[in-house]
Amino acid sequence: MHGLTKHTLFIVLCCLYSVNSFSQQPQAKTKLVVGVIVDQMRAEYLNRFQDKFSDDGFKRLMNGGFVCRNTHYNYIPTKTAPGHASVYTGTTPKYHGIIANEWYDRTLKKEINNVDDYSTQTIGGEGSSGQRSPQKMLSTTITDELQLSNDGKSKVISISLKDRGAILPGGHMSDGSYWYDAQTGNFISSTYYKQELPAWVEKFNKKGYVKSLLKNGWKTIRPIGSYTESTIDEQAYEKVFHHKNNASFPYEFRKLSDEDKFDIFQETPFGNTILAMLAGEALVSEKMGQGAETDFLAISFSSTDKIGHAFGPNSIEIEDTYLRLDQDIASLLRKLDAQVGEGNYTFFLTADHAATDVPQYLINNKVPAGYYSSENIVAKVNKGLETVFKVEGLVENMSNGQLFLDMRKIASNQLDFNVVLEESKKELYKIESVFQVLLRNDLEKLEYTSDEKGMVQRGFHMKRSGDIVVLFNPSWAKERKYGTEHGTGYSYDTHVPLLWYGNNIPKGSSTRKYSITDIAPTISMLLGIKFPSACIGIPIEELFKE
């Protein structure tokens, strides 16, 4: 009996060991990574609108996945193009070079777009809106590294309404990046990727979804009286569409010309809907997640940003947009379940920046806020410099909160560059809206690690940025007629959602502070591939705990 007991115990222990060993084995390699960026999404929207979300969209991600609740951008300026580049490169503008959506080129003496490439041609359209590429981005992306890891056997597709939202996540080796053309209502691309649109994109364009989605106008998805998380409808600081007399629901579009419909479509929640539909087509037509290697689908929802800029983060319009986006996310997840299989894909969702409250809304509620004018700032600084140096126009441009000095005038008048910088700084501090001024010389020589100085330095590219960086008081924004802005290092612009879901993702949440640059190395670790070339981020270790 004693021997039998020992024998039985041995068998039990072996079985337990086998079960335990099996449980410790890594899951099968994910078939597909889906990266979603929601343009201008504040982290607090997940909480503010949660009671109205369905169980199948944002809540499915939050309840069934891992929520990083304290994720921030770690540089200035918080703009769309740098945000997309930073998520996918795991680094900041200091290294990847995408310092803004547009920036001043002091050699060309004009603003240039972050993805313009006039060596390419538009495909799927006739204008210049397809002359784009990722060539100005100086680092590899996680999508590039996936391709490099297996000699291009993985498939990478990226889509957005915005060109930069499609191009930068797709990286330099994308198999297809597609964005919306407001002149035609079609999705287009560039000869950088291929010589003609795939048949499935052509077919999608021919279905005329823009017109059909706008046919019934834009009414709130729920009774308008239930939108208690927002201000009352129609505020003086909200955009009035040119065909309406007020900024209130409902919005009717039937009488608009096709040209007007194609343009205004981006400022409706249906821009997100059509993108989710396009994502579904890409999954099926490109057979994503069906091969031996992991594929990558990058999606950037842009209408959230357009509507935020038009109406502000406290509007009924923005709340309705997120309730509708919740449905689009649910639809996308169902499509992924059907096409790839639940548990066979890895999904993350974040934002490229958040947004400030509309300054006028804050002013109305006795909260300190205001507006500044770049033109007025340049004029005031130039006037002060002229008094000191007797030279007109020493500041030649202000772009993204940065002043560019006229180096030729400084040289021809034998002025000391450092002295001009210091005098400019003195003039800037006389302006009410200005909080802090940082000079190129200091950013080049000193190493800042924290607070706003470190954020400026991480967003400062030595060749592309200006000579003087101006930071403004909290809740001050560049002068505009309506809606909101973003671009600062304050938490209202830096704090964004970060949700993980699917293959190899544990359930849970964390309040530990993470940087947006931690996303790319986390994906690298999940996929077992090397980090992007200029990556400074650190993998989110809580996703890897057994």
Side-chain angles (χ1 to χ4, degrees), residues 52-96:
K52 292 188 173 73
F53 288 149
S54 69
D55 292 331
D56 303 321
F58 287 115
K59 280 186 181 178
R60 177 177 171 185
L61 300 176
M62 295 165 69
N63 296 333
F66 196 89
V67 185
C68 295
R69 297 168 58 190
N70 195 19
T71 305
H72 290 261
Y73 277 85
N74 56 352
Y75 62 83
I76 299 171
T78 41
K79 299 280 188 178
T80 296
H84 282 76
S86 296
V87 167
Y88 279 83
T89 62
T91 192
T92 68
K94 176 181 179 179
Y95 299 103
H96 62 58

Side-chain angles (χ1 to χ4, degrees), residues 86 103 130 157 232 240 266 273 290 313 362 381 413 462 494 503:
S86 296
W103 59 83
I157 302 292
I232 61 172
V240 177
Q266 303 170 90
T273 302
Q290 305 302 309
L362 296 177
V381 175
N413 288 279
M462 294 300 175
T494 66
N503 182 278

